[in-house]
């Protein structure tokens, strides 16, 4: 009789295998921490004595504040702000702990994330980042000496104009009228001038460091409206309207900042939020340059044997700054095998083999409605992690 898989040669108690589980979250379903927990559960079904090191990662989107606050033993702050649809919503930001200048950490998704936009109201041409600006203002008034701001998971495409308005900037149309606050990206088509003289004076002495996707640009064929507009609910015609609005904003902002920002790295992050942040004097950085200062994944990789990562979708965009690609890149420097689990496998996903992911699989086991997949994501992820681990063990026998 064939022995159970966990008794076969390969990984056993003598091997003392150590596995790093470093996933992103599954948007609108599982946060990074829960994702890591479920992958761990699946692995342990197969190798009960494995040492699992969990390092759920954030990329600046949902969970950015809590991850950095937890990593530094900091504190969370609660507040009410204008949400992406204009309604008042509860939100949060944090302060890092430790011996450092008083550092506030903010995630734009907590005030303007896609999750905060009801599905029947998803139109990135009218949603706003005004609440993100209110959060920055709250941090400034609470005595922040520097601010870390994470971009990601946005439900907006207003090029950060809402943020700038909340902090005192004014935007004008050709007839000299001030653009009303928090109208969204479509309203930028009529923009002709910007007045920054009213910006909150506290901004002068408090540097804002932005963790953003360095690959996202404001304009052009790969501009934010064309690449991400459809994901946020924009129709084909709305996408083109937003693209024109981004072009208009880029031309005027470029005059203000003294250089062309239309294709500047990070300018298109979070619906063009990067552009608006540049306008108020913030400094953009590749997101992992900031995040890895606090989440020390490289140290965790040093004595591991295998790496699992995960994200909601794996496709041709994954190598452009997504968490599985970053995890794989770092793991490959140490020659470690990498397995990625995903909710969906999209177009040209095979490009991920070139950036260090050795194998990937969808957690979906059969066709079905998205709503059911989201509701059953936890179970599907546990089962998929178990299945992947069993495949790896069979491979050890060859």
């Amino acid at each position: 009789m064939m022995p159970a898989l966990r008794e076969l040669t390969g990984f056993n108690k003598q091997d003392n295998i150590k596995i790093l589980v470093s996933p992103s979250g599954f948007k609108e379903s599982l946060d990074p921490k829960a994702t890591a927990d479920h992958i761990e559960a699946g692995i342990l079904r197969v190798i009960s004595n494995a040492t699992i090191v969990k390092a759920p990662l954030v990329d600046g989107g949902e969970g950015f504040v809590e991850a950095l606050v937890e990593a530094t033993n900091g504190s969370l702050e609660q507040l009410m702000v204008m949400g992406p649809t204009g309604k008042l919503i509860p939100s949060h930001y944090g302060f890092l702990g430790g011996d450092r200048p008083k550092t506030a950490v903010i995630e734009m998704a907590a005030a303007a994330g896609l999750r905060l936009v009801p599905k029947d109201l998803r139109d990135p041409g009218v949603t706003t980042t005004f609440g993100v600006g209110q959060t920055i203002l709250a941090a400034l008034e609470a005595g922040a000496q520097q601010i870390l701001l994470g971009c990601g998971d946005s439900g907006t495409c207003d090029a950060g104009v809402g943020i700038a308005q909340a902090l005192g900037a004014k935007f004008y149309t050709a007839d000299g009228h001030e653009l009303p606050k928090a109208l969204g990206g479509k309203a930028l088509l009529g923009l002709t001038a910007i007045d920054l003289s009213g910006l909150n004076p506290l901004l002068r002495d408090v540097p804002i460091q932005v963790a953003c996707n360095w690959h996202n640009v404001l304009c052009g064929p790969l501009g934010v409206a064309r690449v991400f507009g459809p994901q946020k609910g924009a129709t084909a015609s709305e996408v083109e309207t937003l693209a024109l609005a981004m072009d208009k904003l880029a031309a005027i902002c470029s005059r203000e900042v003294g250089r062309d920002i239309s294709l500047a790295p990070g300018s298109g992050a979070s619906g063009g939020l990067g552009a608006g942040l540049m306008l108020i004097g913030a400094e953009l950085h590749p997101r992992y340059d900031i995040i890895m200062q606090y989440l020390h994944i490289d140290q965790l990789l040093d004595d591991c044997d295998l790496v699992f990562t995960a994200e909601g979708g794996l496709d041709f965009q994954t190598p452009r700054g997504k968490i599985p690609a970053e995890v794989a890149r770092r793991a490959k420097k140490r020659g470690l095998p990498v397995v990625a689990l995903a909710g969906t496998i999209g177009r040209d996903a095979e490009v991920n083999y070139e950036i260090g992911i050795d194998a990937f699989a969808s957690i979906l086991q059969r066709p079905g409605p998205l709503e059911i997949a989201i509701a059953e994501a936890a179970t599907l992820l546990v089962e998929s992690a178990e299945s992947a681990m069993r495949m790896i063990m069979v491979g050890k026998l060859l």
Side-chain angles (χ1 to χ4, degrees):
M1 179 177 177
M2 188 174 181
L5 275 175
R6 69 179 61 184
E7 297 173 352
L8 293 174
T9 57
F11 300 140
N12 53 44
K13 291 185 178 180
Q14 284 70 44
D15 288 328
N16 193 28
I17 182 174
K18 187 174 183 180
I19 302 173
L20 178 66
V21 177
S22 189
S24 176
F26 283 48
K27 197 171 293 185
E28 299 186 77
S29 180
L30 300 172
D31 64 27
K33 185 178 183 302
T35 300
D37 289 342
H38 295 314
I39 293 174
E40 176 189 39
I43 294 171
L44 292 177
R45 284 184 177 183
V46 184
I47 314 174
S48 60
N49 62 297
T51 298
I52 310 293
V53 178
K54 293 181 290 184
L57 280 186
V58 292
D59 59 6
E62 290 183 358
F64 178 71
V65 169
E66 290 188 4
L68 268 61
V69 164
E70 182 177 345
T72 62
N73 196 27
S75 62
L76 281 175
E77 307 292 333
Q78 308 294 325
L79 76 166
M80 300 295 292
V81 299
M82 180 188 292
T85 63
K87 294 183 178 180
L88 202 64
I89 63 167
S91 189
H92 64 271
Y93 68 102
F95 282 105
L96 301 185
D99 184 17
R100 56 171 55 86
K102 190 172 184 179
T103 303
V105 56
I106 296 169
E107 65 189 53
M108 75 83 59
L114 184 63
R115 180 180 57 82
L116 301 174
V117 185
K119 291 186 178 179
D120 60 344
L121 296 178
R122 291 187 176 176
D123 179 354
V126 299
T127 47
T128 180
T129 58
F130 194 86
V132 185
Q134 291 176 309
T135 309
I136 294 174
L137 183 59
L140 292 170
E141 292 177 343
Q145 295 172 292
Q146 62 182 16
I147 294 173
L148 302 179
L149 195 151
C151 293
D153 298 325
S154 70
T156 56
C157 193
D158 72 349
V161 166
I163 287 180
Q165 288 178 318
L167 292 168
K170 294 183 178 180
F171 297 79
Y172 293 94
T173 58
D175 57 10
H177 290 119
E178 183 181 353
L179 200 68
K181 292 180 173 62
L183 284 189
K186 289 179 185 176
L188 302 180
L189 281 172
L191 185 66
T192 58
I194 301 173
D195 179 7
L196 301 178
S197 63
L199 280 176
N200 192 296
L202 292 174
L203 285 167
R204 298 190 196 113
D205 301 317
V206 179
I208 301 176
Q209 309 296 327
V210 183
C212 63
N213 191 330
W214 210 232
H215 298 280
N216 292 349
V217 296
L218 189 62
C219 303
L222 296 177
V224 62
R226 292 190 173 96
V227 174
F228 296 104
Q231 298 177 15
K232 300 174 184 179
T235 64
S237 62
E238 289 169 342
V239 163
E240 292 310 308
T241 297
L242 279 172
L244 290 173
M246 296 301 103
D247 290 343
K248 177 65 72 72
L249 186 279
I252 298 169
C253 280
S254 294
R255 292 201 302 266
E256 290 291 334
V257 302
R259 63 186 179 94
D260 184 5
I261 67 167
S262 60
L263 297 176
S267 60
S270 289
L273 190 78
L277 290 168
M278 293 168 70
L279 190 63
I280 65 169
E283 187 175 344
L284 309 188
H285 300 271
R287 52 192 174 189
Y288 299 112
D289 286 1
I290 289 180
I291 292 167
M292 295 306 177
Q293 295 177 38
Y294 304 96
L295 306 178
H296 306 291
I297 186 174
D298 290 323
Q299 297 174 15
L300 300 177
L301 284 165
D302 283 342
D303 59 349
C304 282
D305 304 295
L306 173 67
V307 178
F308 271 78
T309 185
E311 189 160 68
L314 198 79
D315 58 21
F316 70 97
Q317 293 190 64
T318 302
R320 296 170 56 85
K322 301 289 188 177
I323 283 175
E326 184 66 16
V327 171
R329 184 179 70 82
R330 292 171 183 265
K332 277 297 170 271
K333 289 181 179 179
R334 294 157 176 80
L336 297 176
V338 179
V339 175
L341 302 177
T344 59
I345 305 299
R347 181 163 63 93
D348 298 329
E350 62 273 11
V351 300
N352 290 284
Y353 294 134
E354 300 171 13
I355 52 96
I357 294 175
D358 297 292
F360 58 77
S362 170
I363 68 171
L364 300 178
Q365 300 172 356
R366 58 190 177 279
L370 176 62
E371 293 75 14
I372 293 178
I374 290 174
E376 297 179 353
T379 299
L380 293 170
L381 189 55
V382 172
E383 292 174 350
S384 295
E386 177 184 359
S387 178
M389 198 66 238
R390 290 188 180 278
M391 290 289 188
I392 290 168
M393 292 183 69
V394 167
K396 292 281 288 184
L397 301 178
L398 299 178

